[in-house]
Amino acid sequence: MKALLRWLFFVVIVRPLALIVIGLNVRHRERLPKSGPALIVANHNSHLDTLVLISLFPLRQLPQIRPVAAVDYFLRNRVLAWFALNVIGIVPLQREVKASAGDPLAAASATLEEGAILILFPEGSRGEPERLSRFKSGVAHLAKRHAEVPVVPIFLHGLGKALPKGEAILVPFFCDVFVGEGLYWNGDKQGWMTDLDDAMHVLATEGKFSPWE
Amino acid sequence: MMMHLTTNVRWALAGVAGVLVFATLMVWLIALTHPNKDYSELKLRMRSWWVMIGIFAGAMLLSPLASVVFFAFVSFLALKEYLSLIPTRRADRRVLFWAYLAIPVHYYWVATAWYGMFIIFIPVYMFLLLPLRMVIIGETEGFLRAMGSLHWGLMTTVFSLSHMAFLLVLPADKNPAGAGAGLMLYLVFLTQFNDVAQYTWGKLFGKHKVIPKVSPKKTWEGLVGGNLTTLLLAILIAPYLTPFSLTEAAGAGVIIGVFGFIGDVTISALKRDLGVKDSGSLLPGHGGILDRIDSLTYTAPLFFHYVYFLHY
């Protein structure tokens, strides 16, 4: 029942929204993982990011695709929590790391072990629209634990213009989705994070974007 | 279904399908006889033609309203592409939203054939409303550029293009051969044909550049050859789709040929200014939607008023 609801939500609302109202320019679509487990990391500017990333995959893969999302935001009230967990299918993540709370990445790890395609926004929040901010290192911990899982960087542009943080009205813009090559853990946290940052910046320079201030 | 179109228009659509089949076979043949050359771009372009013409003809066959909705959607895609391409101000998000809202309203005037409102809604009311909305937001830095570029975009992608749609709702009795749909098909077919003809003539004989600073691939040979071909075709098919006399048809052929070129290079200049090669990636092999309808932004309003002045 919940699976059907999720399927309907993506078929009736998300896909038409992503493909007709917004419109995506996807480059290197062939680099998307054909099956899980895989970790998708992207820059984060808008609530639309998650929906667009999920809609990049064929519908039959939908049950596999799970975005990681912040507990403090998405589970803050019951209605939103129900929607986030059942319809969007989030894997909850505690942003505030407390020593007593145990392993913050346990749920994400377990989902990867089930063979999911996990979506993660290492910037940690949507931040200022259309600005890349530093990736937090949680993603490196995850990559280290799952050294056999490819980490696929995806650069998103335009969704922060269409629906930035704090805005309720969606304004249509064509948006760019540049998919990078999968990276694997290389044994060195600092070096790996630099590789990931570099991969994102290379993807970002593929586009020619007019200023938006 | 279909009975709202005159027999000639239905035959013309069949003719378009024939041209499409012929062109596709030609591309296959060329690709087969030149196995060591890469024709994937050309094949992609043909495929996009099939999709575009399929949707366009499908809407025409369905009903005049379906065609109006189709053109409204084309305007939406074109405006969206334009606004995604140009620099816009973050403060203007809501102003852009109003600009988008103008599309359904404007095409409502088209669907109801309210000419008086159609002809002033964007040039007068939206022209006055959008700056007003910007002033309420109060961001003055970049105000002139924002206001000017938004209105130009709305005029080009919505107002100008919608003249194709208004041809459809013109009184049928003034054009027994093809009615409104005949005129629209005549305009769209000749404009697109002119693009292809200029390109082909240019490829075959192009030498002397027309406007190298804007569009280095445009040549006089392509322009003149294309325009003459378009002129000839305009005269040949006019009796079947339009109320034109021979001279009037020649005039229409010249308007479509010359101003199709102007529309094309206007969008080229815009792209050059922004430093992009294609306006988008919506139509594989063609680029964006503006790359495909650039010529129509000029030919649609000019052809419309030419017909309107002569026969309505």
Side-chain angles (χ1 to χ4, degrees), chain A residues 69-74 93-98 104 124-126 136:
Chain A
V71 166
D72 54 292
Y73 187 92
F74 286 96
L93 174 88
Q94 203 82 45
R95 273 195 285 204
E96 297 275 315
V97 182
K98 293 190 207 107
S125 86
R126 286 169 292 164
K136 300 195 191 318

Side-chain angles (χ1 to χ4, degrees), chain A residues 65-113:
Chain A
I65 301 172
R66 308 288 305 277
V68 174
V71 166
D72 54 292
Y73 187 92
F74 286 96
L75 303 188
R76 65 176 189 269
N77 69 56
R78 277 171 57 193
V79 179
L80 187 62
W82 177 85
F83 182 77
L85 290 168
N86 297 306
V87 180
I88 307 292
I90 67 162
V91 177
L93 174 88
Q94 203 82 45
R95 273 195 285 204
E96 297 275 315
V97 182
K98 293 190 207 107
S100 57
D103 176 11
L105 296 171
S109 251
T111 317
L112 273 179
E113 267 154 28

Side-chain angles (χ1 to χ4, degrees), chain A residues 19-25 128-129 160-164 167-174 208 210-213, chain B residues 73 76-78 80-81 83-91 93-94 96-97 100 145 274-276 281-282 289:
Chain A
L19 301 176
I20 297 170
V21 179
I22 299 172
L24 303 177
N25 165 30
E128 277 289 293
K161 290 161 78 173
L163 188 69
E167 288 278 353
I169 291 179
L170 193 157
V171 177
F173 285 99
F174 277 101
K208 173 112 179 52
S210 283
W212 184 71
E213 322 254 310
Chain B
F73 187 62
F76 168 69
L77 291 176
K80 185 168 59 160
E81 193 169 86
L83 292 176
S84 308
L85 211 55
I86 65 163
T88 55
R89 302 185 304 170
R90 197 175 157 182
R93 282 186 78 254
R94 279 158 195 254
L96 304 191
F97 189 76
Y100 280 115
R145 195 193 63 188
L274 296 169
V276 295
S281 57
L282 193 66
I289 189 142

Side-chain angles (χ1 to χ4, degrees), chain A residues 37-197:
Chain A
L39 182 59
I40 304 284
V41 300
N43 56 323
H44 198 20
N45 287 311
S46 167
H47 281 319
L48 295 169
D49 296 342
T50 313
L51 301 178
V52 161
L53 288 173
I54 296 177
S55 70
L56 293 177
F57 291 90
L59 276 170
R60 61 184 159 75
Q61 275 180 281
L62 185 60
Q64 273 198 309
I65 301 172
R66 308 288 305 277
V68 174
V71 166
D72 54 292
Y73 187 92
F74 286 96
L75 303 188
R76 65 176 189 269
N77 69 56
R78 277 171 57 193
V79 179
L80 187 62
W82 177 85
F83 182 77
L85 290 168
N86 297 306
V87 180
I88 307 292
I90 67 162
V91 177
L93 174 88
Q94 203 82 45
R95 273 195 285 204
E96 297 275 315
V97 182
K98 293 190 207 107
S100 57
D103 176 11
L105 296 171
S109 251
T111 317
L112 273 179
E113 267 154 28
E114 287 163 19
I117 296 177
L118 205 61
I119 296 173
L120 185 74
F121 299 108
E123 287 172 334
S125 86
R126 286 169 292 164
E128 277 289 293
E130 302 306 307
R131 294 243 190 284
L132 272 182
S133 39
R134 264 206 101 61
F135 277 9
K136 300 195 191 318
S137 59
V139 60
H141 291 290
L142 213 49
K144 185 180 175 186
R145 262 186 233 181
H146 303 275
E148 75 297 345
V149 171
V151 179
V152 180
I154 297 186
F155 176 75
L156 301 171
H157 172 264
L159 294 157
K161 290 161 78 173
L163 188 69
K165 193 172 175 176
E167 288 278 353
I169 291 179
L170 193 157
V171 177
F173 285 99
F174 277 101
C175 295
D176 297 287
V177 179
F178 300 159
V179 185
E181 309 261 15
L183 298 171
Y184 290 89
W185 177 248
N186 62 6
D188 163 37
K189 186 176 153 193
Q190 205 98 56
W192 191 83
M193 284 304 290
T194 315
D195 287 355
L196 184 61
D197 271 337

Side-chain angles (χ1 to χ4, degrees), chain B residues 143-302:
Chain B
F143 178 72
L144 171 65
R145 195 193 63 188
M147 179 176 71
S149 56
L150 183 58
H151 193 64
W152 188 79
L154 203 58
M155 284 295 286
T156 305
T157 60
V158 184
F159 183 70
S160 287
L161 289 179
S162 69
H163 286 74
M164 287 188 278
F166 208 92
L167 284 171
L168 291 167
V169 297
L170 290 176
D173 56 326
K174 301 277 176 61
N175 179 19
L183 286 166
M184 188 276 282
L185 191 59
Y186 182 81
L187 162 71
V188 174
F189 174 73
L190 285 176
T191 306
Q192 299 301 337
F193 175 85
N194 183 57
D195 280 3
V196 178
Q198 286 191 17
Y199 174 82
T200 313
W201 279 94
K203 269 254 159 175
L204 292 174
F205 307 105
K207 246 200 188 93
H208 304 88
K209 296 189 190 327
V210 185
I211 186 163
K213 270 180 80 178
V214 178
S215 195
K217 281 189 178 159
K218 297 274 187 296
T219 59
W220 279 109
E221 291 79 1
L223 176 57
V224 173
N227 283 2
L228 287 176
T229 318
T230 303
L231 173 63
L232 185 72
L233 204 61
I235 292 169
L236 284 177
I237 59 180
Y240 304 101
L241 294 175
T242 72
F244 294 152
S245 67
L246 182 74
T247 358
E248 289 169 355
V254 170
I255 288 175
I256 292 171
V258 172
F259 291 100
F261 175 81
I262 305 288
D264 189 336
V265 292
T266 307
I267 298 296
S268 298
L270 170 76
K271 289 189 292 184
R272 199 148 275 254
D273 182 17
L274 296 169
V276 295
K277 195 180 143 281
D278 289 334
S279 66
S281 57
L282 193 66
L283 307 168
H286 299 256
I289 189 142
L290 286 172
D291 292 313
R292 191 62 274 135
I293 55 165
D294 47 9
S295 312
L296 282 163
T297 62
Y298 264 71
T299 58
L302 291 171

Side-chain angles (χ1 to χ4, degrees), chain B residues 12-92:
Chain B
L13 280 175
V16 171
V19 171
L20 201 54
V21 169
F22 176 75
T24 309
L25 289 176
M26 284 295 285
V27 171
W28 279 356
L29 199 69
I30 294 170
L32 269 178
T33 48
H34 300 78
N36 40 12
K37 266 180 106 179
D38 182 21
Y39 287 99
S40 52
E41 181 79 7
L42 197 59
K43 282 180 184 165
L44 271 181
R45 198 179 307 169
M46 278 319 297
R47 237 171 80 182
S48 294
W49 273 122
W50 275 96
V51 174
M52 283 185 283
I53 294 174
I55 300 175
F56 170 80
M60 264 186 91
L61 290 169
L62 204 58
S63 74
L65 182 63
S67 281
V68 173
V69 172
F70 168 79
F71 285 125
F73 187 62
V74 170
S75 279
F76 168 69
L77 291 176
L79 181 63
K80 185 168 59 160
E81 193 169 86
Y82 173 75
L83 292 176
S84 308
L85 211 55
I86 65 163
T88 55
R89 302 185 304 170
R90 197 175 157 182
D92 287 336

